[in-house]
Amino acid sequence: MSNAYLTYAAKRLGQAVVVILLAYVFTFVVVSILPGDPITSVLRNPQNGFSEQEIAEIIAAQGLDKPVPVQLWNALSGFLTGDLGMSMRSNRPVSTLIAEVLPSTLILAGAGLAVALVLAMLVAYGTRFVPKKYGQGLLRGFPSLFLSVPNFVIGLVLIHLFGFQLGLFRVINPDSFWATLFAAVALGIPVSAQIAEVLIANLDKEAEQEYATVARSRGIGQLKLFIRHLLKPASLPVVTVIALTIGELLGGSLITETVFGRTGVGSLVQRSVSTQDLPVLQAIVSLGAVVFVLVNLIADLLYPLLDPRVKILGGAKRRPTTTDEPSLGSAKAVNP
Amino acid sequence: MSFVSNSPLSGTANTGRLTALRMPATVALSFAIIAIILAWSLAPQFFTTYSPVVGVPADKFLGPSFSHWFGTDHLGRDLYARVVYGTASSVSSALVAVVIGVLFGGLIGLLAGFLGGWVDVVLARLVDVLLSIPKFLLAVIVVTAIGFETINAAIATGVSAVAFFARVTRSEVIKTRQATFVEASYLSGGSRWYILLRHVLPNASRSVLPLAVLQFGESILIIASLAFLGYGDPPPASDWGLLISIGKDYLKWPWLVYAPAFVTIVTVLSVNRISRWLRKTD
């Protein structure tokens, strides 16, 4: 680990902390300053049956009578010490509410990511082996098709085909194996389309590099060329793409949980939105930002270690993307 | 995907003209589909004689047929009419989202890229923050804060796209600013604003256009998702996402889900195809 890497790592870490703090402030501003004042509209809603005294108590307990900057300061210092505040509706700590539903969402998101990876690899690597005549076009069309399908539609089609027609699972029992598997498939397909898009582009790019031509001229077979020369350089950038799709997985689980009737962070968001439980929403959104920033930080720190061709220049890192110029995979970059 | 225009079968006069425009047949088809969608949203009454709101209770849950192309729903309303009448709201809200994303994102990117210095640093942090919040969650809290209506869902979707356009515009502006012709313009006495409006803006906007088209498709999907969760206008509105959401309660009659889903997918596919073509012809 060189000195340049450590400087780069320290700089990225500092940036990540700043972004997380600012993201918290940003969500706070969105939920508390925008017009509409959801808080009083919920508390004064006659359906909820709060008396004037109770309303005053809730407002005092939440600190809503203080000026906004003071509220923000209290919320931010609570957030930094791990105190996410109290739910406005159920009178329980927000952290408890989230902890209850987190395992179910982690299982769903983890399984969804696994499905996405396997599917993306099958499709992308398939394009190198399926000849043009026998449906390579279909494989190449996979990303653009599934980036055009709303993800709740995938879930509904799966429920209709496998739940209703074939009777593999029942929506009434959302935590059974089959129901979880299909929920993961519904969540994973749009994400896999994104990963496959990058993988296919990378494979095409690597196959045109001079080292691939040299290898071919030596009479190397399609399979050997793929395994020895294309697989690794084309697949490594996916580390960064996976990190970017974490946001997609978090947002997608909100919808997938609704479609499949699962309880989880997504259904908690839904409930908090319909009851305007702002402390819960604020906590979940800022935790979402924390997860997203951390995962991307890890990917950024890991990447230069995985790919020796990536040079850290003055603390600014080359981000590997599909639009990257050939310097990333230049002729010198034959894998050892 | 250009295989169609190269194929030896394209001998008719029509495809000949398309080749002259260097437009693959799939792109032409996409434009045709978008034209139909736009016509639906501008003048829905010309495309169906049924009412999207009033149904015939005796005709409920009829399957797709010649008189009811997409079948009928649980109140006996013609689903095709509901899809056609829902188009205006689905399309215009996606348009609003794109305009918000491009205008605000473009402004941020333009200022950051052109002025540089501390403005760039401050705006870059702001963009980082917007990017750090998962897009859909960002749209959900914004729409929660400003209220459940389709127009607000569109605004929320636009806000979630601002960061992306800010990044793209900024990098385009920086790229153009360093070009030789911009330097020449400086040397021949062009002012900063003249260069910004005359050289930088047109060049940046050329590469933003395909992405704006792409964002239009994505906005349709996000707004449909928000409508599906019930954050848009309530029924009897018939936004595509809302129609699918209603249909999911009647999966025994699957066309209630499949028909509006099909229209949504075909529309977004066409939009994405056009965007890819624009990027390639650039």
Side-chain angles (χ1 to χ4, degrees):
Chain A
M1 249 180 253
S2 64
N3 225 354
Y5 179 78
L6 288 180
T7 322
Y8 160 71
K11 206 172 164 189
R12 280 293 284 110
L13 187 67
Q15 263 178 8
V17 172
V18 171
V19 167
I20 287 174
L21 288 180
L22 288 177
Y24 188 86
V25 174
F26 177 81
T27 43
F28 184 89
V29 170
V30 169
V31 296
S32 57
I33 293 190
L34 281 176
D37 191 14
I39 297 166
T40 37
S41 70
V42 170
L43 292 179
R44 305 221 179 268
N45 187 340
Q47 278 184 348
N48 292 326
F50 289 120
S51 69
E52 279 303 314
Q53 199 200 343
E54 280 171 323
I55 291 176
E57 270 172 21
I58 292 173
I59 287 180
Q62 298 275 354
L64 296 171
D65 45 352
K66 302 195 179 75
V68 173
V70 178
Q71 285 182 40
L72 173 62
W73 177 251
N74 289 340
L76 193 59
S77 48
F79 177 65
L80 287 176
T81 53
D83 174 17
L84 296 174
M86 299 288 280
S87 155
M88 273 185 26
R89 302 307 304 275
S90 59
N91 224 352
R92 296 170 62 201
V94 174
S95 46
T96 319
L97 287 176
I98 295 178
E100 275 174 6
V101 292
L102 196 58
S104 153
T105 299
L106 285 182
I107 290 174
L108 178 65
L113 184 59
V115 169
L117 274 177
V118 171
L119 201 58
M121 286 194 228
L122 282 180
V123 169
Y125 298 160
T127 58
R128 300 242 63 89
F129 294 107
V130 178
K132 280 224 165 82
K133 259 194 255 169
Y134 300 105
Q136 196 195 81
L138 279 181
L139 286 178
R140 285 180 177 272
F142 171 87
S144 40
L145 173 63
F146 281 99
L147 286 176
S148 310
V149 180
N151 50 4
F152 52 92
V153 168
I154 300 176
L156 289 175
V157 170
L158 289 174
I159 290 178
H160 177 239
L161 290 183
F162 294 97
F164 272 55
Q165 305 287 340
L166 297 179
L168 270 183
F169 65 92
R170 315 202 60 180
V171 203
I172 313 162
N173 181 11
D175 288 320
S176 72
F177 171 75
W178 284 111
T180 308
L181 180 73
F182 282 109
V185 170
L187 181 61
I189 285 180
V191 177
S192 81
Q194 288 185 10
I195 301 176
E197 198 175 35
V198 176
L199 262 180
I200 292 175
N202 284 338
L203 279 170
D204 287 350
K205 201 182 72 193
E206 295 295 334
E208 279 170 17
Q209 297 296 324
E210 284 171 25
Y211 69 81
T213 320
V214 170
R216 263 190 226 110
S217 71
R218 288 202 314 259
I220 197 171
Q222 181 84 345
L223 182 68
K224 256 191 179 166
L225 175 75
F226 173 74
I227 292 176
R228 279 214 201 138
H229 298 295
L230 303 182
L231 185 62
K232 200 178 163 198
S235 307
L236 274 179
V238 169
V239 173
T240 330
V241 181
I242 292 172
L244 289 174
T245 57
I246 291 298
E248 207 80 10
L249 279 172
L250 290 174
S253 63
L254 205 171
I255 300 214
T256 310
E257 280 171 6
T258 312
V259 171
F260 283 84
R262 296 172 65 91
T263 42
V265 177
S267 61
L268 182 62
V269 170
Q270 260 250 323
R271 207 168 52 215
S272 316
V273 166
S274 56
T275 58
Q276 307 257 318
D277 197 341
L278 298 182
V280 178
L281 274 182
Q282 159 93 52
I284 292 177
V285 173
S286 34
L287 284 181
V290 170
V291 171
F292 186 74
V293 170
L294 285 185
V295 170
N296 277 284
L297 176 67
I298 293 170
D300 279 359
L301 293 183
L302 214 55
Y303 198 77
L305 302 180
L306 290 177
D307 192 338
R309 293 172 300 175
V310 175
K311 294 269 185 321
I312 297 154
L313 302 168
K317 195 190 67 103
R318 303 181 34 72
R319 247 174 180 285
T321 57
T322 43
T323 52
D324 240 4
E325 289 315 306
S327 58
L328 183 67
S330 65
K332 277 173 273 172
V334 184
N335 282 302
Chain B
M1 288 287 272
S2 60
F3 58 93
V4 187
S5 62
N6 299 338
S7 86
L9 291 172
S10 56
T12 61
N14 194 22
T15 41
R17 192 171 299 154
L18 288 177
T19 341
L21 272 169
R22 281 202 224 108
M23 187 192 281
T26 47
V27 175
L29 182 67
S30 303
F31 272 112
I33 289 170
I34 297 305
I36 295 176
I37 298 295
L38 287 181
W40 279 3
S41 55
L42 291 176
Q45 65 275 18
F46 292 137
F47 292 90
T48 175
T49 48
Y50 291 104
S51 155
V53 186
V54 186
V56 183
D59 288 348
K60 66 177 181 182
F61 295 129
L62 292 181
S65 65
F66 275 115
S67 51
H68 299 284
W69 290 4
F70 290 170
T72 60
D73 70 358
H74 60 292
L75 296 174
R77 294 175 294 196
D78 181 60
L79 189 60
Y80 170 71
R82 286 185 57 72
V83 170
V84 168
Y85 276 91
T87 308
S89 159
S90 299
V91 168
S92 62
S93 54
L95 213 55
V96 168
V98 174
V99 168
I100 290 175
V102 170
L103 274 189
F104 287 88
L107 191 66
I108 292 175
L110 210 58
L111 289 177
F114 197 70
L115 298 176
W118 64 270
V119 180
D120 189 18
V121 173
V122 170
L123 290 178
R125 281 295 88 75
L126 176 74
V127 168
D128 276 349
V129 169
L130 283 175
L131 281 176
S132 73
I133 301 169
K135 244 182 168 185
F136 194 65
L137 278 184
L138 180 60
V140 168
I141 55 158
V142 173
V143 82
T144 309
I146 56 183
F148 300 151
E149 263 177 76
T150 298
I151 183 66
N152 290 346
I155 293 172
T157 310
V159 170
S160 73
V162 164
F164 173 68
F165 282 103
R167 275 223 163 154
V168 175
T169 316
R170 175 179 175 275
S171 73
E172 285 302 321
V173 167
I174 289 177
K175 217 191 288 169
T176 325
R177 215 180 49 172
Q178 292 160 345
T180 322
F181 67 89
V182 171
E183 208 178 325
S185 184
Y186 264 122
L187 290 175
S188 48
S191 74
R192 277 167 83 92
W193 286 107
Y194 172 78
I195 287 167
L196 180 69
L197 295 177
R198 184 65 222 268
H199 295 303
V200 176
L201 199 59
N203 273 289
S205 59
R206 192 164 307 154
S207 47
V208 168
L209 176 71
L211 296 170
V213 175
L214 194 69
Q215 181 63 38
F216 180 71
E218 200 183 327
S219 298
I220 291 181
L221 293 181
I222 297 179
I223 292 167
S225 298
L226 290 171
F228 179 81
L229 292 177
Y231 303 160
D233 286 344
S238 59
D239 291 76
W240 296 341
L242 183 64
L243 286 177
I244 301 172
S245 167
I246 297 170
K248 79 172 191 294
D249 300 330
Y250 305 98
L251 270 184
K252 237 185 182 171
W253 300 276
W255 57 86
L256 293 177
V257 166
Y258 285 110
F262 175 75
V263 173
T264 313
I265 294 168
V266 168
T267 307
V268 179
L269 262 180
S270 310
V271 170
N272 290 351
R273 182 72 191 91
I274 292 171
S275 159
R276 223 162 351 112
W277 176 71
L278 284 175
R279 238 176 309 170
K280 233 175 230 169
T281 46
D282 240 10

